[in-house]
Amino acid sequence: MGKGKFSWPSGATYEGDFKGGYMDGIGTYTGSVGNTYKGSWIMNLKHGKGTKSFSNGDYYEGEWRRGLQDGHGRYQWKNGNHYIGQWKNGMINGNGTMIWSCGNRYDGFWEDGLPKGNGTFRWADGSFYVGVWSKDPKEQNGTYYPSGSPAGDLDWDPQHVYLVDLTDSKICQGEKISILPSQKMTNWPGIAGEVNQKQLVYRRWNDGGRPKRMSVDERLSNYSLDTDGSLNVYTNGDVDLRNSEEGMENLQLDDLDSGGGRVVLKLPPTPKKQGETIARGHKNYELMLNLQLGIRHSVGRPAPATSLDLKASAFDPKEKVWTKFPPEGSKHTPPHQSCEFKWKDYCPVVFRTLRKLFNVDAADYMISICGNDALRELSSPGKSGSFFYLTNDDKYMIKTMKKAEVKVLIRMLPAYYNHVRAFENTLVTKFFGLHCVKLTGTAQKKVRFVIMGNLFCSEYVIHRRFDLKGSSHGRTTAKPQTAVDPTTTLKDLDLNFIFRLQKVWFQEFCRQVDRDCDFLEQERIMDYSLLIGVHFREAVSYRDSHTPPRTSGNLIMNQQRLVYLEWASIKLGVNMPARVEQTVRRNDCETQLIGEPTGELYDVILYFGIIDILQDYDISKKLEHAYKSMQYDPTSISAVDPRQYSRRFRDFIYRAFVEDT
């Protein structure tokens, strides 16, 4: 903690700020092969502004995110070429300029390290080529303008840039950092008793389900003591920890005698999945089959490659496709065992592009929704009367919708698309598809539904759930404390924590909440909420006692952060390490939304996002506001105009979330 220096046996060093055992703050890492990084760190990752000199002579100066170049930066190659512009995930991506040492330059858009989209290539003699760029010659389209020099080449091929000019401009990856400071084991007196690390033996189950034994041999990366005295051990399996980029796994220790008795690793049991499986005989079994048939047809049929730059016509409310599914099958549909139905896709090109934007693989998407495993129906419909279904792998949630909600989503779809494209860390719900099933015959029943990402799809147990709006009227769960379990969704007046985020994440959180609320306010949306899932680190203790485990505050607890998570998957609202502080409300103030802090802190992993974003401030909500305002404090009710709702929501969220100092 504080300023210090860490040295590796290889000769590499880090000198700068530490926090909780991590390289965290401002510091300089000098590698064993001569590369150097000077700049900002967070939890062992380059994050913020920094400069890196590579051992091969290359140089980068600019912004970093989670260990990779991300944002605006300048890269200088040892051959004199340099690039100035946008980066994403360690690659040139966005708008930028490449200047070659010979004087040629390219100004325009890039994707995955290559020119893609509108751009101009200029020669040192003043001639230039302008057009749409692509590595695929079929998509390349542009015009050459000579400078008047007789050296101008009217037959110049733009593919020359990809095949020749860029071959000497590869981004250097640098060396991998070996085992990190926070992974080092220190034998502090009195913490772990007389346990001999070299005696520890663990059992790891491989993909075939057969046990595999091996000695830890000083590759034990971390441990802590449970409240019952049992030892928690986190190690990296048979992957050598000298490569810090490999993932971590939680393993189970065999029974053994280590001088003072048995050593046992206790992991949380797999929680029972929510909802009722829709098996044959369920009232919605045929509806599930229809839905799966429709999704398989929509996603699986061949479609031309889509650009992220969509035409306005793709968002037209009339842009929908009807398909008939007779039981005997047709030219375009397979035979099936359900009743005859019609299937409708709303704005299919838009949602196909959204899935691409959200990095959803089409095959995985179909397997999740249409595979052999049935969907699960949550036990009761939401307040709106909508039913919710979960895929068996918990990745996707399917919600039935009213016609009015469909109209709202279609109306705001262009703005929604632009918003989620502009802000990859947006907290608003991710929509993957909008569809309708229409039963034929006398019933003519229509079921409209939207497919969304499930916020709580996690390898960790979600111990507490909160749905927060910033209002107080009716915002409590009508359950006694003894009846609250991990599936109970608590509300504003049930909140008994303050969420503490690290500085960089807190700043990003505030920026993104502002962006998302501005977007929803502009679209006249209200009644949305921040859904939060909390996983407490010492899960066994928490479940047994119904009281969160208290952080001991010692070094071991701080060191667990890296080994407990796969850090590459951390992003705003997903897998986020944080701390929560317990609060207590005054008995004389029933509407106090944020209680008094108690100083009791717990290490947690957070999941959160903004949900229910399809309620516009229509005439029914205006009437609800007028009616309830005559009975209750107008500031306490949920139904208020979008501007007031946004302001109140932000005020509350910025009191519930604070910077962890």
Side-chain angles (χ1 to χ4, degrees):
M1 180 71 75
K3 292 190 179 297
K5 183 175 182 178
F6 188 93
S7 300
W8 283 262
S10 65
T13 61
Y14 169 83
E15 188 165 5
D17 296 330
F18 288 85
K19 184 177 180 182
Y22 294 86
M23 299 182 287
D24 198 306
I26 303 299
T28 299
Y29 172 84
T30 303
S32 59
V33 295
N35 55 301
T36 301
Y37 170 82
K38 297 180 180 179
S40 181
W41 298 75
I42 181 167
M43 300 186 78
N44 294 335
L45 296 174
K46 305 176 190 72
H47 196 97
K49 293 187 179 297
T51 61
K52 182 164 184 177
S53 299
F54 296 89
S55 56
N56 69 347
D58 291 357
Y59 178 84
Y60 173 83
E61 179 180 13
E63 296 175 319
W64 298 75
R65 184 176 181 81
R66 297 199 292 271
L68 297 171
Q69 296 100 323
D70 201 304
H72 190 272
R74 177 180 182 271
Y75 195 100
Q76 175 86 41
W77 282 268
K78 61 181 178 181
N79 61 12
N81 299 348
H82 66 274
Y83 168 84
I84 303 173
Q86 294 299 309
W87 295 72
K88 185 175 181 181
N89 295 328
M91 299 188 73
I92 296 173
N93 213 95
N95 196 14
T97 298
M98 172 77 82
I99 301 176
W100 282 265
S101 57
C102 63
N104 297 345
R105 64 183 289 161
Y106 169 83
D107 299 272
F109 287 90
W110 300 72
E111 185 175 297
D112 295 334
L114 297 173
K116 183 68 181 291
N118 293 320
T120 301
F121 189 94
R122 301 177 187 273
W123 284 264
D125 66 2
S127 57
F128 64 96
Y129 175 95
V130 60
V132 176
W133 290 74
S134 174
K135 193 173 182 181
D136 183 352
K138 296 178 182 177
E139 297 178 357
Q140 181 83 36
N141 183 25
T143 304
Y144 175 84
Y145 296 91
S147 65
S149 167
D153 182 6
L154 296 177
D155 296 325
W156 179 75
D157 183 1
Q159 293 300 306
H160 187 274
V161 173
Y162 298 96
L163 300 175
V164 179
D165 293 310
L166 291 172
T167 55
D168 292 332
S169 298
K170 304 298 183 184
I171 305 302
C172 182
Q173 299 301 314
E175 69 170 347
K176 293 180 179 178
I177 299 178
S178 58
I179 183 170
L180 298 165
S182 55
Q183 294 169 313
K184 294 295 290 183
M185 172 61 65
T186 305
N187 293 322
W188 297 101
I191 289 183
E194 299 297 324
V195 176
N196 184 340
Q197 294 178 32
K198 292 187 178 181
Q199 292 179 345
L200 293 178
V201 179
Y202 68 86
R203 181 175 69 234
R204 180 180 183 221
W205 293 88
N206 59 23
D207 293 339
R210 299 177 62 185
K212 181 177 178 182
R213 294 176 181 269
M214 61 192 306
S215 170
V216 172
D217 281 342
E218 294 189 77
R219 287 191 284 128
L220 179 65
S221 63
N222 219 330
Y223 64 85
S224 68
L225 293 176
D226 262 349
T227 52
D228 63 357
S230 61
L231 181 68
N232 287 342
V233 178
Y234 304 96
T235 184
N236 197 32
D238 54 359
V239 179
D240 195 326
L241 276 176
R242 287 175 296 183
N243 182 354
S244 68
E245 295 187 3
E246 298 291 346
M248 300 294 181
E249 294 184 42
N250 293 340
L251 308 177
Q252 182 180 23
L253 287 175
D254 281 330
D255 298 337
L256 59 98
D257 192 325
S258 58
R262 290 155 63 88
V263 180
V264 182
L265 172 66
K266 301 195 302 185
L267 293 180
T270 302
K272 184 179 178 181
K273 289 183 177 290
Q274 276 186 280
E276 175 188 0
T277 300
I278 305 177
R280 189 180 296 275
H282 190 283
K283 63 178 181 178
N284 288 324
Y285 180 71
E286 283 199 339
L287 177 62
M288 180 190 74
L289 293 182
N290 297 346
L291 186 155
Q292 292 177 323
L293 285 164
I295 293 293
R296 195 176 290 120
H297 171 75
S298 298
V299 180
R301 67 172 178 238
T306 56
S307 165
L308 295 181
D309 297 317
L310 296 179
K311 297 179 180 178
S313 58
F315 298 92
D316 192 323
K318 297 178 182 177
E319 189 69 17
K320 45 197 173 187
V321 179
W322 279 104
T323 305
K324 191 174 182 179
F325 281 79
E328 67 275 12
S330 68
K331 182 179 179 180
H332 302 290
T333 62
H336 58 87
Q337 299 179 345
S338 183
C339 59
E340 181 172 319
F341 69 96
K342 291 182 73 177
W343 170 265
K344 179 160 65 172
D345 278 324
Y346 296 88
C347 299
V349 174
V350 177
F351 285 102
R352 189 187 315 130
T353 311
L354 280 171
R355 293 194 294 272
K356 177 183 176 182
L357 190 65
F358 294 139
N359 297 316
V360 174
D361 180 79
D364 291 343
Y365 185 70
M366 283 196 291
I367 290 171
S368 292
I369 301 174
C370 314
N372 295 329
D373 296 316
L375 303 177
R376 305 195 312 277
E377 183 179 77
L378 297 189
S379 56
S380 60
K383 186 178 178 182
S384 64
S386 299
F387 281 86
F388 292 87
Y389 304 92
L390 281 171
T391 56
N392 191 62
D393 58 9
D394 288 330
K395 284 185 179 179
Y396 303 103
M397 180 174 284
I398 301 166
K399 175 190 176 185
T400 61
M401 302 179 73
K402 296 177 181 178
K403 187 176 182 179
E405 289 180 304
V406 172
K407 287 184 175 180
V408 171
L409 179 52
I410 294 295
R411 184 204 75 204
M412 66 186 286
L413 197 54
Y416 172 84
Y417 179 82
N418 291 332
H419 182 76
V420 299
R421 184 181 177 186
F423 305 110
E424 65 171 335
N425 280 339
T426 180
L427 298 175
V428 298
T429 304
K430 289 181 170 62
F431 294 122
F432 301 117
L434 182 62
H435 313 281
C436 176
V437 168
K438 181 181 180 182
L439 303 179
T440 58
T442 55
Q444 294 286 302
K445 180 183 178 182
K446 285 185 178 180
V447 181
R448 303 170 183 88
F449 56 91
V450 66
I451 301 176
M452 308 176 290
N454 177 20
L455 197 61
F456 296 155
C457 178
S458 165
E459 61 186 286
Y460 303 113
V461 180
I462 302 298
H463 298 116
R464 279 292 180 266
R465 302 164 189 248
F466 295 96
D467 182 281
L468 307 178
K469 294 187 176 184
S471 56
S472 58
H473 176 66
R475 297 298 294 163
T476 186
T477 302
K479 272 188 177 184
Q481 185 63 30
T482 54
V484 172
D485 61 33
T487 65
T488 304
T489 301
L490 303 169
K491 300 181 182 179
D492 299 66
L493 293 179
D494 305 310
L495 181 64
N496 58 341
F497 296 111
I498 292 174
F499 303 96
R500 296 188 171 277
L501 304 182
Q502 291 187 357
K503 181 178 180 179
V504 174
W505 286 116
F506 177 69
Q507 291 172 343
E508 178 63 22
F509 172 77
C510 293
R511 283 194 295 265
Q512 196 56 55
V513 169
D514 281 339
R515 293 164 181 158
D516 291 340
C517 287
D518 286 343
F519 158 68
L520 295 172
E521 183 181 329
Q522 289 166 9
E523 292 301 307
R524 301 287 296 165
I525 301 296
M526 42 78 67
D527 218 20
Y528 46 88
S529 54
L530 186 72
L531 184 63
I532 306 172
V534 186
H535 168 82
F536 289 89
R537 303 282 179 122
E538 297 181 14
V540 175
S541 300
Y542 176 72
R543 276 200 301 275
D544 290 346
S545 65
H546 299 287
T547 302
R550 186 173 303 178
T551 297
S552 63
N554 62 36
L555 182 61
I556 295 298
M557 288 302 294
N558 285 330
Q559 286 181 327
Q560 281 184 333
R561 296 183 183 181
L562 184 65
V563 296
Y564 200 80
L565 292 169
E566 293 185 32
W567 290 99
S569 63
I570 297 174
K571 60 183 296 187
L572 189 66
V574 179
N575 265 354
M576 285 196 64
R579 294 198 300 171
V580 295
E581 181 174 4
Q582 193 145 23
T583 59
V584 176
R585 285 188 175 82
R586 300 193 303 270
N587 293 330
D588 60 343
C589 186
E590 295 183 359
T591 59
Q592 183 185 13
L593 290 179
I594 303 293
E596 304 295 333
T598 63
E600 296 186 14
L601 298 168
Y602 311 109
D603 283 331
V604 298
I605 300 169
L606 294 182
Y607 297 81
F608 51 81
I610 297 175
I611 64 168
D612 295 337
I613 64 169
L614 298 179
Q615 178 60 62
D616 64 349
Y617 195 53
D618 56 14
I619 186 63
S620 65
K621 285 295 178 181
K622 292 176 182 178
L623 290 173
E624 180 184 343
H625 172 78
Y627 174 73
K628 289 185 176 179
S629 294
M630 293 187 291
Q631 305 177 64
Y632 311 103
D633 178 359
T635 63
S636 71
I637 61 178
S638 180
V640 295
D641 76 83
R643 178 176 294 180
Q644 183 182 346
Y645 192 95
S646 171
R647 185 169 59 249
R648 184 182 63 188
F649 177 81
R650 288 187 237 198
D651 288 345
F652 173 61
I653 294 302
Y654 293 153
R655 284 189 291 147
F657 283 77
V658 299
E659 181 182 334
D660 191 0
T661 56

